[in-house]
């Protein structure tokens, strides 16, 4: 037995660290938290200084039992969980649950998983930091109290099964308020003047722009009219050097933002990949709000820049973190080895590592140097001046490696940039020839909707949340159905242009698509109703300043400056009183809005959120005639639907002519608009209005469904069909869906390509099971229906022993090899999917 037991949080981290330590160390994983607050109301004794009652979940009992046994036999137990509050709490829970003794327990921390870092940590152990533990407990207790007390209020006053949380409710509020700001926004137009000039030498053309815009069309036309016979000269020419400095290395929030902009990664995906990179020793700890780099990192980056690019590209920088709660002892996110320009791993890991490496190395590189030229052009018939800008890169510096992206606003593609990459040689007094001048109608824009990246940025600016909370917060508000992340098509808008060319002005009306959104966050109707209810009755919970103040108090507790129970007492008493008062006095919230009068019945028409979601209601609940109801389409909202749109919903469902002896109708259900053909429901394509579906269109949709479901091939004796879904073209085989990459010709797939695609999918799923098998505790057992393999929540039948053709004996089970297990998993993956699909179908039918 090893003298030392070192406990980390994840199996991947354990595997990496084990390679750095000798035979005296046994490295084991706790698989994250090993205990949590009990699920019942008695988990926190509010009247007893918020004493907590923890429990070990059933899936962790075996892990705890094993660690307890190993800890008992070891001379020293090293608690090596992460260096943040959550990690400190895990170390404390391990200390308590494993009944460890202080004299044989050591706490170590490190911000990178490299041999020098691990060795240094072991040489400098410390005790558990109970200030950090208390800060984590305060957060956990406060969030549990908010969730447990607010959720029943929402069930009673809004809708069953809802829940609320401290940070996520504020995030929802930001999104709801931004959406309303956009809905109320009225775009105003103005005319932008852009001219194209020639120097008269060959093809030397450049653009210039009038700095001001004209609100009235007649003013823009008058400007062009005055320029018909005008002479244009260079009045002033200014050439000046400019510099641009690199951004600091990544913190958690800036990594999430940049990975969203540059790589299209969601916040949760970014953190999941970064976790893998950290655990395999490729990057430093990925939850940090510090932009600081260690002396070791500064020296290593200098050496690599000098080797790779030359000494003129190096510029040593020490960045200071602006966040008051940031810990300078921690580091920014950086590569552990700057000489590793690339790494082994899957495509996502390589791309994220590349981003981290470039950002970190660029932060220590020279400034980029430009020469900026500004030419002011006089107009003989007007007092205004046109301005032409040009910029020439003289030395690339850090731009050789990296350029930071910006959040893309909606309709940014409609911008007409008048800046030039480089201006031709110009002189003061030089006469220019006007090729053409255009006055173009442009429109003001509302504030952009939040993307995941820009929401993280806003939360950080407001001081809400911490590096460890951004990703779970954004995932939670989407999982709860308060917010959706999606693309939305824009609408066509007309605009006017007036162009002066060859002494003649011509007008034109053109069109453009505005309001197109990609990967933006939209509030749902239930999200808006819950937000309004919380704002009305629990202002403190969704108040930006309050939430930021709470975060500061957690920081003070972590630094030993505040007692955590005192902080909770000051919060809880007024909050609990608000809960009781709201339960007693608040009206039910539905977001109800009167749209107008139904011309046919003369009754009021309302829209609101009902028991089954957003709907329209004709008539009153207390009338003898029951009200009529209709569900809103997915593209409609309680806040923006019009009376005409609402009334049109009552035309659904409607009958069409029969097709092939079966009835055809069009309606809307819980999964959106559909065409029903006999007993078959076929979803309408995205953004297709159900009321516009004709007999001919319905037949097209039905035939497409028939063709999609028709087998195109066979694999292992089972039919293969093709289809196109929200994630692109796919194959379907035994209830297994296989995406078809763009490199394949989907319309002309060969049998060998189909075999390859399905085999690859089976192998991929099998590997996922195998990875679970390798990282979770395995059991091979004889059960009621014979022998089976169990790992986590997965169970796979073992079948007969191929060597004997009989059931496995207990002795034979003990000798089953990993290769046999992998083979069985590969064979059973397709059937596992099929059984899962059938089980889901049965549940749905039963409902």
């Amino acid at each position: 037995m090893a003298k030392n037991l070192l406990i980390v949080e994840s199996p991947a981290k354990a595997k990496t660290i084990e390679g750095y330590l000798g035979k005296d160390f046994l490295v084991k994983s706790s698989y994250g938290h090993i205990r949590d607050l009990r699920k019942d109301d008695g988990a926190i004794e509010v009247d007893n200084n918020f004493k907590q009652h923890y429990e070990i979940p059933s899936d962790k009992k075996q892990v705890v039992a094993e660690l307890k046994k190993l800890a008992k036999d070891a001379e020293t137990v090293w608690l090596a969980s992460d260096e943040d509050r959550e990690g400190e709490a895990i170390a404390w829970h391990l200390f308590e649950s494993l009944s460890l003794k202080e004299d044989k327990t050591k706490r170590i921390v490190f911000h990178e998983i490299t041999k020098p870092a691990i060795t240094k940590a072991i040489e400098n152990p410390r005790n558990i930091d109970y200030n950090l533990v208390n800060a984590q407990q305060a957060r956990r207790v406060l969030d549990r109290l908010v969730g447990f007390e607010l959720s029943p209020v929402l069930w009673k006053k809004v809708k069953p099964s809802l829940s609320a949380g401290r940070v996520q409710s504020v995030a929802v509020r930001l999104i709801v308020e931004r959406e309303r700001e956009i809905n109320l926004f009225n775009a105003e137009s103005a005319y932008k003047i852009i001219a194209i000039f020639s120097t008269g030498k060959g093809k030397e053309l450049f653009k210039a722009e009038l700095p001001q815009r004209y609100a009235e069309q007649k003013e823009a036309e008058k400007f062009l009219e005055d320029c018909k016979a005008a002479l244009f000269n260079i009045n002033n020419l200014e050439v000046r050097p400019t510099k641009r400095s690199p951004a600091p290395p990544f913190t958690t929030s800036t990594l999430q933002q940049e990975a969203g902009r540059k790589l299209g990664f969601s916040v949760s995906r970014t953190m999941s990949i970064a976790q893998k990179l950290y655990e395999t020793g490729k990057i430093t700890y990925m939850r940090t709000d510090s932009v600081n780099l260690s002396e070791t990192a500064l020296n290593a980056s200098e050496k690599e820049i000098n080797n790779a690019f030359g000494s003129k590209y190096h510029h040593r920088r020490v960045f200071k973190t602006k966040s008051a709660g940031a810990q300078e002892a921690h580091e920014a996110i950086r590569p552990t080895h700057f000489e590793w320009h690339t790494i082994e791993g899957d495509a996502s890991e390589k791309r994220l590592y590349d981003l981290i490496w470039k950002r970190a190395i660029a932060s220590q590189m020279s400034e980029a140097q430009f020469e900026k030229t500004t030419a002011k052009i006089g107009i003989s018939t007007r007092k205004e001046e046109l301005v032409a800008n040009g910029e020439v890169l003289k030395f690339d510096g850090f731009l050789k490696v990296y350029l930071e992206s910006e959040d893309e606003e909606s309709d940014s593609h409609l911008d007409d940039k008048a800046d030039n990459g480089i201006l031709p040689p110009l002189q003061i007094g030089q006469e220019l020839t006007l090729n053409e001048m255009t006055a173009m109608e442009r429109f003001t824009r509302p504030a952009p909707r939040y993307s995941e990246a820009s929401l993280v940025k806003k939360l950080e600016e407001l001081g809400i949340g911490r590096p460890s909370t951004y990703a779970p917060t954004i995932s939670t508000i989407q999982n709860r159905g308060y917010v959706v992340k999606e693309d939305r098509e824009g609408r066509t808008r007309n605009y006017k242009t007036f162009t002066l060319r060859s002494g003649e002005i011509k007008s034109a009306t053109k069109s453009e698509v505005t309001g197109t959104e990609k990967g933006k966050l939209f509030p749902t109707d239930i999200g808006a109703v819950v937000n309004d209810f919380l704002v009305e009755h629990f202002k403190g919970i969704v108040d930006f300043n309050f939430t930021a103040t709470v975060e500061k108090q957690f920081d003070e507790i972590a630094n030993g400056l505040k007692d955590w129970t005192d902080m909770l007492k000051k919060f809880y008493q007024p909050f609990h009183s608000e809960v009781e008062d709201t339960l007693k006095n608040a009206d039910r919230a539905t977001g109800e809005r009167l749209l107008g009068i139904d011309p046919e019945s003369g009754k009021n028409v309302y829209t609101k959120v009902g028991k089954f979601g957003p709907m329209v209601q004709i008539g009153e609940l207390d009338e003898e005639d029951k009200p009529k109801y209709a569900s809103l389409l997915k593209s409609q909202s309680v806040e923006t639907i019009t009376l005409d749109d609402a009334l049109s919903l009552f035309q659904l469902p409607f009958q069409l002519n029969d097709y092939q002896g079966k009835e055809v109708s069009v309606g809307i259900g819980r999964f959106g608009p559909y065409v029903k053909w006999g007993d078959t429901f076929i979803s309408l394509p995205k953004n297709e209005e159900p009321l516009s579906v004709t007999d001919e269109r319905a037949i097209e949709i039905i035939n497409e469904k028939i063709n999609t479901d028709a087998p195109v091939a066979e694999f292992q004796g089972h039919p293969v069909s093709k289809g196109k879904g929200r994630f692109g073209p796919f194959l379907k085989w035994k209830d297994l869906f296989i995406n078809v990459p763009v490199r394949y010709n989907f319309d002309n797939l060969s049998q060998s390509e189909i075999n390859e695609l399905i085999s690859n999918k089976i192998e991929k799923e099998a590997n996922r099971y195998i990875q679970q098998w390798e990282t979770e505790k395995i059991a091979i057992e004889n059960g009621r229906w014979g022998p089976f393999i169990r790992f986590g929540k997965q169970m796979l039948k073992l079948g007969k022993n191929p060597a004997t053709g009989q059931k496995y004996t207990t002795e034979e089970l003990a000798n089953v090899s990993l290769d046999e297990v992998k083979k069985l998993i590969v064979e059973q993956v397709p059937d596992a999917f099929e059984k899962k699909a059938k089980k889901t179908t049965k549940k749905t039918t039963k409902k």
Side-chain angles (χ1 to χ4, degrees), residues 103-285:
D103 60 343
K104 61 176 287 187
T105 305
K106 294 181 179 180
R107 170 79 171 119
I108 59 170
V109 293
F110 38 83
H111 64 270
E112 62 182 66
I113 303 176
T114 58
K115 189 168 184 177
I118 303 302
T119 304
K120 186 178 178 182
I122 287 173
E123 290 170 354
N124 298 278
R126 62 169 172 80
N127 296 322
I128 292 172
D129 186 336
Y130 284 95
N131 288 329
L132 290 178
V133 173
N134 290 338
Q136 193 274 343
Q137 282 190 95
R139 177 187 289 279
R140 186 76 185 90
V141 169
L142 190 147
D143 288 346
R144 167 63 74 90
L145 291 172
V146 169
F148 262 50
E149 298 215 5
L150 270 190
S151 296
V153 178
L154 295 179
W155 301 341
K156 187 174 180 182
K157 300 297 183 180
V158 184
K159 188 184 173 186
S161 302
L162 295 177
S163 56
R166 183 179 55 86
V167 177
Q168 49 263 39
S169 295
V170 175
V172 172
R173 182 180 180 183
L174 284 168
I175 294 164
V176 169
E177 290 183 353
R178 177 59 56 87
E179 190 67 21
R180 286 174 177 161
E181 187 182 340
I182 292 168
N183 289 337
L184 292 171
F185 182 80
N186 289 316
E188 296 178 354
S189 67
Y191 285 84
K192 175 181 184 176
I193 309 288
I194 293 180
I196 298 176
F197 290 103
S198 166
T199 62
K201 296 177 183 177
K203 295 181 179 179
E204 287 184 348
L205 299 175
F206 64 94
K207 281 184 179 181
E209 183 178 338
L210 190 69
Q212 65 263 45
R213 298 192 180 191
Y214 292 114
E216 300 293 333
Q217 176 184 319
K218 61 184 180 183
E219 292 179 304
E221 287 185 279
K222 175 71 167 57
F223 184 89
L224 295 188
E225 192 69 40
D226 290 346
C227 288
K228 275 185 178 180
L231 297 175
F232 300 92
N233 295 83
I234 302 290
N235 281 351
N236 188 41
L237 198 60
E238 184 181 320
V239 180
R240 68 183 189 279
T242 60
K243 294 179 180 180
R244 191 180 303 169
S245 297
F250 283 130
T251 61
T252 301
S253 71
T254 54
L255 175 64
Q256 290 169 350
Q257 292 166 49
E258 196 73 340
R261 298 179 193 123
K262 274 191 160 71
L263 308 180
F265 288 177
S266 68
V267 167
S268 59
R269 185 181 179 195
T270 298
M271 294 311 292
S272 175
I273 298 166
Q275 180 94 29
K276 289 180 188 174
L277 294 174
Y278 167 65
E279 290 177 350
T280 51
K282 297 181 179 80
I283 64 169
T284 54
Y285 193 52

Side-chain angles (χ1 to χ4, degrees), residues 642-671:
T642 63
L643 177 63
D644 289 342
D645 290 338
L647 292 174
S648 69
L649 294 171
F650 291 92
Q651 298 173 34
L652 296 168
F654 61 87
Q655 293 291 129
L656 294 172
N657 291 320
D658 291 359
Y659 180 60
Q660 294 184 357
K662 296 180 184 179
E663 287 187 353
V664 180
S665 62
V666 179
I668 180 171
R670 59 183 296 198
F671 301 112

Side-chain angles (χ1 to χ4, degrees), residues 288-467:
T288 177
D289 49 14
S290 172
V291 292
N292 183 46
L293 290 177
S294 67
E295 192 68 25
T296 302
L298 291 171
N299 292 336
S301 61
E302 178 179 1
K303 182 180 177 183
E304 190 53 35
I305 291 166
N306 290 341
N307 288 342
F309 309 109
S311 59
K312 68 176 181 178
Y313 278 93
H314 177 255
H315 181 92
R316 188 184 182 98
R317 284 186 184 81
V318 177
F319 292 94
K320 291 291 181 184
T321 306
K322 293 178 183 176
S323 170
Q327 300 193 28
E328 292 296 340
H330 296 178
E331 274 199 87
I333 303 168
R334 62 163 175 85
T336 54
H337 297 82
F338 281 94
E339 68 271 21
W340 294 355
H341 292 218
T342 57
I343 57 160
E344 293 298 317
D346 64 29
S348 296
E349 290 170 24
K350 287 180 178 179
R351 292 175 72 200
L352 191 64
Y353 177 84
D354 181 65
L355 193 66
I356 293 167
W357 183 88
K358 286 179 175 176
R359 176 83 166 220
I361 206 86
S363 74
Q364 297 302 309
M365 291 178 73
S366 304
E367 296 168 322
Q369 296 175 16
F370 298 86
E371 184 177 84
K372 185 165 186 176
T373 304
T374 302
K376 292 185 178 178
I377 302 163
I379 309 165
S380 63
T381 55
R382 303 278 301 198
K383 63 179 180 181
E384 298 94 339
E385 289 181 317
L386 295 159
V387 178
N389 289 308
E391 194 173 65
V392 179
L393 179 65
K394 306 298 281 185
F395 175 63
D396 52 2
F398 76 92
L399 293 177
K400 194 174 192 72
V401 173
Y402 180 83
L403 175 63
E404 186 179 18
S405 298
E406 294 179 355
D407 290 317
E408 186 177 323
E409 293 190 14
S410 176
D411 295 346
S412 60
H413 62 289
L414 302 179
D415 286 330
D416 299 285
K417 302 289 185 185
D419 283 3
N420 306 272
I422 183 170
L423 287 172
L426 300 172
Q427 293 179 347
I428 292 176
Q430 182 177 347
E431 191 173 322
L432 303 172
T433 302
L434 178 68
N435 278 30
E436 68 174 39
M437 184 180 287
T438 302
M440 184 184 301
E441 189 179 18
R442 297 289 78 191
F443 298 86
T444 53
R445 299 176 193 156
R449 289 183 173 89
Y450 289 108
S451 62
E452 286 192 359
S454 61
L455 181 60
V456 167
K457 185 178 179 181
K458 185 66 176 178
L459 290 170
E460 186 180 39
E461 284 174 0
L462 293 171
I464 296 168
R466 286 296 181 263

